[in-house]
Amino acid sequence: MEIQKENYLKLKEFTRQLGAAVFGVAELKEIKKNFILPKEVTDDLTFGVSFGVSLSRKILETVKDKPNQLYYFHYQRTNILIDTISLRISDFIQKEGFGAMPIPASQVSDWENQLGHISHREVAFYAGLGWRGKNNLLVNKGHGALLRFGAVLTDFPLSTDKPVENFCGECAICVELCPAGAISEKGFNKELCRQKLKEFMRTEKIGQMVCGVCVKACPPRKEVDSSE
């Protein structure tokens, strides 16, 4: 077995044992230009290890037309799990003698444009973990939009995955339910979404810009495949 594939399978099994629901690896050439990271540090990091942790469907059922304290707490703790998995992956790779950069699950580095150091969703897209949904989320066949993603940048030799086909089709549930009116067949209005999230922070007394309505609205397209 070629070393890249062997490394991929070992790291996938390790990541799944840590609690990840899905795993993939992206070749970073197409998206590296969008990173808000020191170029001299990331030049040799050619792969993005991407994984997704599934949110609780039962907790999402409590979300109606706005977020609540239960969902907010769950969202925070899911981010902690993602960061923990990222650190463990980095440790695994470094023990193999290679470089690894764990990227925080939810950290804003460009406040004006509300961007993180990298887009976890873009890395996950190129790692074949889902398609770009109408709701501006990454949608996975087995999990819908219930995944939150983490990423580790590395030079560890790995085989890579490819983007998958878009399966949104004529589904428009998220368009109908979005409390901000930010989702339409013409595209996603980031500013409308952001303003509604700021409103929710005030009215629902939550400390982060979260909603959950379009996450709940986006159903899986098939039963979850444990081999994903």
Side-chain angles (χ1 to χ4, degrees):
M1 183 185 294
E2 63 181 30
I3 190 65
Q4 290 90 344
K5 187 64 175 179
E6 183 179 340
N7 290 341
Y8 178 101
L9 292 175
K10 284 195 301 184
L11 192 55
K12 177 179 181 178
E13 178 60 23
F14 179 76
T15 304
R16 295 298 291 268
Q17 288 179 1
L18 294 174
V22 294
F23 173 93
V25 176
E27 207 288 324
L28 295 177
K29 183 169 60 176
E30 294 295 325
I31 53 176
K32 194 178 268 193
K33 62 182 180 296
N34 298 320
F35 291 173
I36 307 175
L37 291 166
K39 188 174 184 296
E40 66 275 13
V41 178
T42 58
D43 258 355
D44 61 338
L45 304 180
T46 52
F47 303 109
V49 176
S50 181
F51 62 91
V53 170
S54 183
L55 295 165
S56 164
R57 296 188 188 193
K58 280 296 182 183
I59 285 181
L60 264 298
E61 285 177 13
T62 71
V63 174
K64 303 305 180 184
D65 57 352
K66 57 189 175 183
N68 56 41
Q69 293 288 332
L70 183 63
Y71 174 65
Y72 170 53
F73 184 86
H74 181 55
Y75 181 95
Q76 286 184 308
R77 292 309 180 269
T78 301
N79 285 341
I80 292 172
L81 174 58
I82 290 170
D83 286 334
T84 300
I85 294 174
S86 293
L87 291 172
R88 294 288 303 278
I89 290 172
S90 296
D91 182 61
F92 178 100
I93 291 172
Q94 289 179 162
K95 285 177 178 175
E96 293 287 326
F98 294 90
M101 178 182 285
I103 305 299
S106 186
Q107 183 180 47
V108 177
S109 57
D110 179 348
W111 283 94
E112 183 178 350
N113 297 300
Q114 287 292 300
L115 298 173
H117 294 290
I118 70 171
S119 168
H120 289 283
R121 289 196 292 264
E122 277 298 280
V123 178
F125 171 77
Y126 282 98
L129 297 184
W131 63 89
R132 299 181 181 102
K134 296 172 183 176
N135 52 13
N136 200 42
L137 300 175
L138 200 76
V139 183
N140 178 276
K141 266 192 175 184
H143 299 267
L146 267 70
L147 293 172
R148 287 196 52 71
F149 294 97
V152 177
L153 311 185
T154 185
D155 58 354
F156 189 38
L158 294 163
S159 56
T160 57
D161 299 285
K162 297 185 182 303
V164 298
E165 180 183 352
N166 189 308
F167 281 89
C168 280
E170 296 182 2
C171 178
I173 300 173
C174 63
V175 176
E176 297 164 7
L177 295 181
C178 177
I183 309 170
S184 73
E185 295 294 344
K186 295 180 180 179
F188 178 77
N189 189 315
K190 186 175 181 179
E191 186 56 32
L192 283 179
C193 176
R194 182 161 54 181
Q195 291 307 316
K196 180 58 73 171
L197 296 182
K198 288 180 178 178
E199 177 187 320
F200 285 150
M201 288 180 70
R202 295 191 304 272
T203 61
E204 307 311 309
K205 296 180 174 57
I206 55 179
Q208 198 163 355
M209 291 171 64
V210 298
C211 175
V213 175
C214 65
V215 175
K216 174 187 176 182
C218 189
R221 300 307 196 275
K222 67 174 181 63
E223 291 301 313
V224 176
D225 180 356
S226 61
S227 68
E228 249 181 312

